[in-house]
Amino acid sequence: MQSAGNGWGNGLLGVIIFSGSLPATRVAVDGFSALFLTSARAVVAALIGVAVLGLLRQARPERKDLVSLAIVSVGVVVGFPLLTALALQHITSAHSIVFIGLLPLSTAIFAVLRGGERPQPLFWLFAVLGSATVAGFALSNDGSASLTGDLLMVAAIVLCGLGYAEGAALSRRLGGWQVISWALLLALPLMAPVVAWTWPSTWSGVSAPAWIGLAYVSIFSMFVGFIFWYRGLAIGGIARIGQLQQLQPFFGLALAGFLLHEPVAWSMIAATALVVACVFFARRFA
């Protein structure tokens, strides 16, 4: 019970941290190109990861782990950040909630394919119901659409689900923060030249919010959040803990209401209650 509670606690903290990722990315792409933002966040996070690995004298991963680390790099270090940054040039961060609501289902599918998990049939019922609730809520509150942006987000969700499941499975042996640190280091030789290539010619037009957005996605979205998220997935089960992502859009809206004083509609409260119920039953049948 203590391990299960620890898994849910770590997973929930990771989701809360990730809740600010898309809004921060949306702000950041107003000041930086998508390629620079993707590569810069990866390089900053990689430098943090390398420093921590060195300070704590972590052993190098085995050769057999390199394929899994490469999958994590492609999924969550390069693929998801780049594709969402490109998508958010065409759609709003609110519209992207539609696709974040599908991320738990994507993670659960790859938990079966890559993590060897076998949830019960009723798990899939509640996982689909929860994802449909989030998507329906988002669509009812935002009518903006772009085929390009939507297709980019679909690709981002697929890669992210793969990266989450692969990293969580590897975390059972290496540890959560070690996995993301090694994955970032593996991507560094690719990301560093991209930073130099896409380096802005001038910084005068970059606003303070864009800098804050870059800092958030570099430190929290790209590193700190994964420490808790991968630990939660490894301890509590990838498919089971992954359902907590259904709450991510609502955390983001709640933060907007608290920090920006935006109104919180009754429909949000009702949808959140239904999603919480779906997460509860998905956990029971995972």
Side-chain angles (χ1 to χ4, degrees), residues 27-120:
V27 172
V29 294
D30 285 337
F32 306 103
S33 70
L35 273 177
F36 177 79
L37 177 62
T38 300
S39 54
R41 66 188 282 181
V43 168
V44 171
L47 294 176
I48 297 173
V50 168
V52 177
L53 287 170
L55 287 173
L56 298 182
R57 299 181 180 181
Q58 295 296 298
R60 294 181 180 180
E62 300 178 15
R63 181 171 296 181
K64 65 180 181 180
D65 297 327
L66 293 180
V67 173
S68 291
L69 287 172
I71 292 174
V72 174
S73 294
V74 170
V76 302
V77 176
V78 180
F80 183 77
L82 176 59
L83 292 172
T84 53
L86 291 171
L88 287 167
Q89 294 178 335
H90 301 276
I91 60 177
T92 65
S93 59
H95 185 72
S96 66
I97 290 176
V98 177
F99 303 94
I100 295 301
L102 301 176
L103 187 51
L105 193 57
S106 174
T107 304
I109 291 172
F110 284 112
V112 172
L113 297 177
R114 301 293 302 177
E117 297 189 2
R118 295 293 183 269
Q120 299 179 41

Side-chain angles (χ1 to χ4, degrees), residues 253-271:
L253 291 174
L255 287 173
F258 178 73
L259 297 176
L260 305 178
H261 307 291
E262 295 181 356
V264 178
W266 67 268
S267 56
M268 173 185 171
I269 298 174

